[in-house]
Amino acid sequence: MAITSTDIYLQVAIPVPMRQLFTYKLPAELNTNAVQLGERVIVPFGSRQVVGIVLSIDESTEYAAKKLKLVLSRVNDNFSFSPQLLHFIQRCSDYYHHPIGDVFQQALPVLLRQIKQPDVELPLVWLTKTDLSEEEQTTTAKRSPKQAELLTMLKQHQGMTWSELLTLGFNKAQLNALEKKEFIYSKSRAVTLFQWQEQALQQDNRLALSAEQALIVATVKEMQAQFSCHLVDGITGSGKTEVYLQAMEQILANNKQVLVLVPEIGLTPQTLSRFEQRFNVPISLHHSGLNNKERLQTWLEAQRGTAAIVIGTRSAIFTPLNDLGMIIVDEEHDASFKQQDSFRYHARDIAILRARQLDIPIILGTATPSFESLQNALSGKYHYHQLRKRAGNASTAKISLIDVAQQQMEHGLSGSLKQAIKNTLARGEQALIFLNRRGYAPAINCQECHWIADCQRCNKAFTLHQGQGLLICHHCASQQRIPPQCPSCGSVRIKPLGQGTEQLEEKIGEFFPDYSTVRIDRDSTRKKGALAKLLTEVSNKEHQLLIGTQMLAKGHHFPDVTLVAVLDVDGALFSYDFRAAEHMAQLLVQVSGRAGRASKPGKVMVQSKFPDHPLLQDLVQNGYQHFAKQALIERQQALLPPFSFQALFRAEANYPSYPEKFLRAMTQIAFEGCQFAGPVPAAMGKKAGKFRFHLILQAKSRKQLHQAVFKLIHHSATNEWQSKVRWSIDIDPVDLSW
């Protein structure tokens, strides 16, 4: 859009929590070339300067021109939003009722939000020398196996970036060592538009599809020129990734780009590895393990059309791919796709919105579909594909329940489970022990007066982290040293209560001292590249016993793991959250899927105090499909999502009466087809010193819900308690345990 008039007024989205645009006047000296929608400008806001996004260009304004502030400068770097991406982000802001300026800020890389613009350099890629001798390679393999592994990787995939190598578990020291030996060299990656070449498809590891897989690929290819949403419901190990790879072939061959979303960084290395082996095309990455500069490179490569495939976590959905031809959402059920603070979007849902806007296909893959996706598939809104058989000779692992009340327990392990682990190790196989509770113990207490170390800001017990010598609150991150004696009675008899992964690792090491144990949780994988390194060690059978939280439950392929032990699932059986059973079933099936993925048969043992609970029995006896369909019938009878629509209003303040009064005032307005639940104290009534309350608004239709939310936001300005609380809206909430 170009305007040549002398007076030009810009409507700008500013990164502030206000639901409006701000009008600025463009000075004549900055009007040398036409302003574009989506362009970044630097404007004054209060006492500071901010980067804003131009969303409207006008020749007149309702405000007095003399009172308007002037645009300070235009950011002329060509990194503006395309009209398609502008429209998509505005739709997201409208749907989630979130301030437009904040949504645009989250869609921009950090370095493009700053006043000082970054120096944009072309990324380096590494290649191997053509005249490497066999002797040099053999010597490297003997002296430095990891360097040799990196050298082999670069020989197979010439031109890999540091982001890719980092994600695959390599480090700068190994790269520098090979460069010093002059085995490899680097050069800048050229800015060339992605063009498909015949040699881009590497046929040697392309697998023959089963009849089920071939039918899915054929259906997706047939509908590749239009919007279609495909739910691939395949049991763990059934070859969903191979379906993605072959469905992408034609898209890439048409010089279109593909966006692949994974729920968390832990799945990125193996996804990248599979895609590298199949396609010799530029792949860019977007996840929290990369620094701001590396993420900016991905953003720019996607926008310029250099990147053929972008693999990333939830925020990668805002990547500016101008020739996007397909979106793939792996593990679509995963709660990690929902952002739980600030702009509370669901990446899967807005990925479907983006695919619809661009008229392209989207594939949702999972072994345990979310009830929302399953209902959409069963009602015909999505194309429903099922994969019921595991790939190759692998068989589905059998789940058995252990009644802990009937067993001799030792440090959280039953006698029969210990024997099963012993038998597994004796056969030279690996065992995975799953406990979704990190730290050494969830609490410490005094054996004399029963005092418990509580976080005063949250009224919750501190978690003991023995290795660090600290008590850490997992809710507000406050921490303190372990007290030498009870502050209440002075006793030194302070003991841990319960068990976490850190303690389990210690006890397992005592039970099985002849075998190597590895723990994979958020504490053990904090360092850059640590997760990829540990997963590689597990695949190489350097460790026989794996202990971990839900980080281990998702998508990982461990061919030698034949036993999976789940120590505690009982909490979800008696939860106030109506989604708790769904999440429990998904987690149990996902973690069970790590067993018996190769030709060796797998076994899953689940410890429970309630093995006869109908939910557990249904899941074990009839499988996830039956469990989900029965649960959907219950949801329909109770008029709960996906058969209704919800918005969750959250409010917090320094005094408990303020948030309750603020939310109570909201319930005084009646809406057709809507009902309120609450306000009630949040599941965690106090966090970081703030008292928290909930109010749920539920409606029969999506339209009625959004009309009501819009009116409530409008009325909140006149709410007398509004200035005393901090509040937010969560559309389609998936977690009520805030």
Side-chain angles (χ1 to χ4, degrees), residues 561-580:
V561 169
T562 57
L563 173 67
V564 168
V566 182
L567 299 195
D568 185 15
V569 294
D570 293 339
L573 301 175
F574 303 98
S575 173
Y576 60 89
D577 188 346
F578 69 89
R579 283 193 173 88

Side-chain angles (χ1 to χ4, degrees), residues 486-525:
C486 172
S488 179
C489 72
S491 170
V492 294
R493 292 179 61 208
I494 294 177
K495 294 281 173 66
L497 266 181
Q499 188 178 39
T501 49
E502 197 181 319
Q503 185 183 161
L504 184 61
E505 180 186 27
E506 179 187 288
K507 301 304 178 188
I508 288 283
E510 292 172 9
F511 291 146
F512 307 101
D514 299 331
Y515 299 93
S516 176
T517 305
V518 65
R519 171 168 56 94
I520 298 180
D521 57 23
R522 206 190 307 167
D523 298 319
S524 66
T525 56

